[in-house]
Amino acid sequence: MADSYFRKGAEVEVSSDEEGFRGAWYTARIIKPPPKSTKNNTKVLIEYKTLMADEAGLKPLREKVDLVQIRPPPPRESNRSFQFSDEVDAYHNEGWWEGVVTALLDNSRYTVFFRTTREQIEFRQSDLRLHREWVSGNWVPPLENEGVSPTEEVKTSKATVKEKFSKGTIVEKMSPAAEVKTGKAMAKEKFSKGTLVEVSSDEEGFQGAWFAATIVKAVGKDKFLIEYQSLRTDDDTEFLREEIDTLHIRPYPPETVMIDRFNLLDEVDALYNDGWWVGVISKVLVGSRYIVYFRTTSEEMEFSHSDLRPHHEWIDSKWVQGSRVIEMSSNA
């Protein structure tokens, strides 16, 4: 970890595991930095800027959080306008919550849909920012008119304790099934019958997971009938079919081959209950086994190497993983 980043007083954003706060990032500053040696996941003492410890709102809340819950404050364009299906962070209840723009209103106002709560809320343009992921010391996508420096020294959140390009290097290749755009591009492009995709669900007990499925047919302007590849009907006679809107569909992630092993703090998807659940490696065990921490449930579970894959995010029509950005064109 870069000492220059985890210094006392450094401004950061922190994700919370508390019920009702999951899925948001809150501004804070570091009170006590972690030790230089980080063989296992360590705690950092932080002080929130907007969350208070007393009802009078005079005493800022302090708490110890894991390194995997901390990242630098993301950059932000000044006076940026947004388009339909843009992935954004919306400032709400003292924190930044990830959502999707679903409507453009008058007077620079927007309607934003939140997958975690299934709510749609209206926001002013000044209360929105483009959603970005902190990947190996870089913000993806970068600030407009700004390049991504591969030699950035700061590493936290999704960065690992060790360099990605030494032991445990990732080799990636595009899966033919991942050639169809979704996310922002879904408003313009359609999936064809038989396309392999991944689908998220808002149902209780399934939030935070992605399930493999195939497109059966389009059933509306922004809806598709899909057939799951692992979820079956209650009588177990056939695979479950369901109508899903475009906000819950993405291309199937690129096929990724892990040469050696995962490292501490690597963000991964873990195969559990027929779906892929995003988590973070909190401990590396012997025998190619790992303890994975899940922010959405505050749980830790043990997995074998074969049940994990490097986590990818579909951002701005690109697959983002580790220090790689995979851009797919219509001619991919």
Side-chain angles (χ1 to χ4, degrees):
M1 296 294 178
D3 294 338
S4 59
Y5 175 70
F6 285 109
R7 66 185 184 279
K8 182 178 180 180
E11 185 173 331
V12 294
E13 285 195 346
V14 181
S15 64
S16 177
D17 295 325
E18 295 290 330
E19 188 68 32
F21 295 89
R22 294 169 187 163
W25 289 89
Y26 297 89
T27 56
R29 65 186 180 93
I30 293 179
I31 301 300
K32 183 178 180 181
K36 293 183 179 180
S37 176
T38 55
K39 292 184 179 180
N40 285 307
N41 200 3
T42 58
K43 298 282 187 178
V44 181
L45 179 63
I46 58 95
E47 180 180 275
Y48 291 100
K49 289 190 173 183
T50 57
L51 301 182
M52 299 296 160
D54 60 329
E55 293 184 0
L58 301 176
K59 183 179 180 182
L61 176 64
R62 291 188 176 189
E63 68 175 349
K64 291 184 177 180
V65 298
D66 293 325
L67 287 176
V68 295
Q69 296 175 251
I70 302 176
R71 68 181 188 184
R76 187 179 180 186
E77 294 87 355
S78 59
N79 197 32
R80 181 190 177 95
S81 59
F82 301 94
Q83 303 298 321
F84 173 79
S85 78
D86 274 351
E87 294 186 1
V88 297
D89 295 334
Y91 191 74
H92 182 61
N93 287 343
E94 314 299 341
W96 291 95
W97 301 75
E98 181 182 352
V100 179
V101 173
T102 54
L104 281 61
L105 309 176
D106 294 332
N107 300 319
S108 298
R109 300 185 71 87
Y110 303 85
T111 298
V112 177
F113 172 74
F114 300 95
R115 294 188 181 97
T116 54
T117 61
R118 304 185 70 177
E119 292 180 293
Q120 287 198 111
I121 303 176
E122 186 177 318
F123 290 92
R124 297 172 299 177
Q125 181 176 304
S126 58
D127 290 329
L128 300 179
R129 68 187 187 191
L130 186 68
H131 177 68
R132 289 180 161 90
E133 290 289 331
W134 178 244
V135 182
S136 293
N138 296 290
W139 286 107
V140 181
L143 197 65
E144 287 187 354
N145 301 321
E146 182 178 276
V148 178
S149 172
T151 57
E152 181 79 23
E153 291 183 358
V154 179
K155 292 194 176 188
T156 184
S157 189
K158 295 182 178 64
T160 58
V161 176
K162 300 179 181 178
E163 291 293 335
K164 289 283 188 182
F165 298 110
S166 56
K167 189 174 183 180
T169 298
I170 306 297
V171 175
E172 295 171 326
K173 57 183 179 179
M174 296 308 302
S175 167
E179 295 183 357
V180 184
K181 290 185 179 181
T182 187
K184 292 178 68 176
M186 275 296 291
K188 300 179 180 179
E189 299 183 12
K190 298 297 182 182
F191 285 124
S192 59
K193 180 180 179 180
T195 301
L196 181 63
V197 296
E198 283 196 340
V199 176
S200 65
S201 175
D202 292 325
E203 289 191 24
E204 188 70 28
F206 293 91
Q207 295 175 353
W210 288 90
F211 299 88
T214 54
I215 299 293
V216 177
K217 64 179 181 179
V219 293
K221 182 180 179 181
D222 295 309
K223 272 193 173 183
F224 293 89
L225 177 65
I226 59 94
E227 181 177 278
Y228 291 99
Q229 293 199 331
S230 57
L231 301 181
R232 302 183 68 86
T233 56
D234 291 337
D235 58 8
D236 200 28
T237 58
E238 58 186 357
F239 288 108
L240 179 65
R241 290 190 173 192
E242 189 175 19
E243 290 185 6
I244 298 291
D245 61 51
T246 55
L247 295 174
H248 295 80
I249 303 176
R250 70 181 187 184
Y252 198 80
E255 182 181 353
T256 307
V257 180
M258 174 62 69
I259 293 179
D260 192 358
R261 69 173 198 171
F262 294 100
N263 295 313
L264 179 68
L265 302 187
D266 275 350
E267 191 168 37
V268 296
D269 294 335
L271 184 60
Y272 179 70
N273 282 349
D274 298 315
W276 291 97
W277 304 73
V278 60
V280 180
I281 301 291
S282 59
K283 190 173 183 180
V284 178
L285 307 176
V286 297
S288 296
R289 299 191 68 83
Y290 307 86
I291 300 296
V292 177
Y293 169 76
F294 300 96
R295 292 192 184 101
T296 54
T297 60
S298 300
E299 292 180 294
E300 284 188 320
M301 297 178 62
E302 184 176 330
F303 291 89
S304 63
H305 184 94
S306 60
D307 289 331
L308 300 177
R309 69 184 187 190
H311 176 66
H312 289 78
E313 287 283 346
W314 181 244
I315 302 175
D316 199 22
S317 297
K318 300 179 182 70
W319 279 115
V320 178
Q321 185 272 315
S323 59
R324 300 289 299 279
V325 177
I326 309 169
E327 184 169 7
M328 289 184 280
S329 67
S330 58
N331 296 321

